[in-house]
Amino acid sequence: MSTSDPADRRGPDGPDRAADLPPVIARLWGRSAPPRRGPKPALSVERIVRAAVDLADAEGLAAVSMARVAESLGYSSMALYRYVESKDELLVLMADAVAESLTLPPLPEGDWRAGLEAWTRAQIEGVLARPWYLDLPLTTAPVGPHRLRWIDRAFAMLEPLGLTMDETLQIVGLLAQHVLGEGRVQVETRRAAAETVRSAQGLPGDTPERDLDERALAAANPYADYELVLSRLADPETYPALTRALTTWEPAPATPDDWESDVGFGLDIVLDGIEAFVARRTGGRPGSAGPARTA
């Protein structure tokens, strides 16, 4: 670990350390050195990223290009390349900008599970509000300051349990995967339902999902086909366990808020597993605030 003065690592207020960083990380963390001569730049990385996010919100991620972003700002594409190296880098910056737009849940008082539930739900809701977020290079993008704030908040929620760094990272990583997995299922389900509704009602293909009837979307849920397949096509000899389960199955009617109950059900199972993991790992550990090990 470096023993240099912390001011050296802060960037703008200390010695210039941006040269030690890859350009995309320097821009992501605001460590790019500003021009030392000439007039004040009319553009900025922040302004470019904000325009790109606005464009994605309006038309989806496919609409985002250096040319379209530049046009929305009243500049040429070449002007953007002074601040952002490529479209790939712009997507990395957008991923971190979206994290900034979400509201971090407060630290709970003595209830880490409730805190992690709120932490996870807030991110799932953010994905549903911006479905294009799932198309960003999230697994390969370097972590920016705003995404790291979310990780830090999860660490703060788990800190009283006395877990190791690796154990905490495993829990945070599991929940992050759950956010992406749950978000993708919900987003792709609604996209498929929306396409069905547009087709059935003779609406243009670019009709926004928000303009479609919620009950029609619920009725067009592609998972409704599961009931048809199970009840009419799954024979007892080939699928005996499913057939036995069907004998007591009473499917609930579809409602517009079904996605909410699905999210809660899956998240409860994940948190149950984390709670059992915490109990097993922290039981009897000196200084642990976690639940005691049970027989």
Side-chain angles (χ1 to χ4, degrees):
M1 181 177 295
S2 172
T3 58
S4 60
D5 189 294
D8 292 345
R9 298 191 295 271
R10 285 198 291 267
D13 298 328
D16 181 14
R17 296 175 61 85
D20 299 335
L21 300 170
V24 63
I25 294 180
R27 278 186 278 273
L28 189 59
W29 283 83
R31 297 297 193 265
S32 295
R36 297 183 179 180
R37 297 179 181 178
K40 181 179 180 181
L43 280 174
S44 67
V45 173
E46 293 76 14
R47 189 178 171 195
I48 292 170
V49 173
R50 185 166 60 248
V53 169
D54 290 344
L55 184 58
D57 284 344
E59 302 182 37
L61 191 63
V64 175
S65 67
M66 298 296 275
R68 286 291 307 278
V69 173
E71 179 185 4
S72 72
L73 292 168
Y75 288 86
S76 68
S77 298
M78 293 306 298
L80 267 60
Y81 287 106
R82 288 187 58 198
Y83 304 86
V84 179
E85 187 175 83
S86 64
K87 179 183 174 181
D88 288 341
E89 182 177 301
L90 179 59
L91 297 181
V92 170
L93 298 171
M94 289 172 68
D96 197 61
V98 170
E100 181 185 17
S101 70
L102 302 179
T103 302
L104 275 169
L107 284 172
E109 294 185 5
D111 192 346
W112 62 267
R113 175 168 173 151
L116 288 185
E117 179 175 356
W119 183 88
T120 306
R121 281 182 174 275
Q123 293 178 81
I124 293 175
E125 290 168 6
V127 169
L128 298 183
R130 284 189 160 113
W132 56 264
Y133 182 75
L134 293 171
D135 299 321
L136 292 169
L138 301 173
T139 57
T140 58
V143 177
H146 302 299
R147 290 173 68 191
L148 195 61
R149 283 177 62 241
W150 281 83
I151 296 174
D152 180 77
R153 180 56 52 91
F155 264 69
M157 292 172 176
L158 291 165
E159 192 171 22
L161 301 181
L163 296 166
T164 67
M165 174 76 171
D166 286 341
E167 289 167 348
T168 305
L169 276 174
Q170 290 289 342
I171 291 174
V172 174
L174 174 66
L175 289 174
Q177 292 178 49
H178 184 73
V179 168
L180 296 178
E182 185 65 54
R184 186 169 298 282
V185 169
Q186 299 295 338
V187 165
E188 293 186 358
T189 297
R190 286 183 66 88
R191 282 175 175 169
E195 189 60 34
T196 298
V197 171
R198 292 188 193 101
S199 178
Q201 298 182 359
L203 298 173
D206 59 353
T207 302
E209 188 179 303
R210 61 179 176 274
D211 293 341
L212 303 178
D213 180 72
E214 283 289 341
R215 294 197 174 275
L217 287 170
N221 189 316
Y223 283 101
D225 290 342
Y226 277 13
E227 178 182 351
L228 178 65
V229 170
L230 292 175
S231 60
R232 299 188 186 182
L233 300 177
D235 66 89
E237 291 186 5
T238 308
Y239 310 100
L242 283 172
T243 302
R244 289 192 295 271
L246 281 170
T247 60
T248 58
W249 182 41
E250 295 182 5
T255 59
D257 65 349
D258 265 359
W259 74 268
E260 177 68 35
S261 59
D262 287 346
V263 168
F265 183 79
L267 184 53
D268 276 346
I269 292 176
V270 174
L271 290 172
D272 283 347
I274 291 174
E275 191 166 12
F277 172 83
V278 169
R280 185 172 70 252
R281 290 301 183 105
T282 63
R285 181 180 293 169
S288 169
R293 187 186 300 275
T294 55

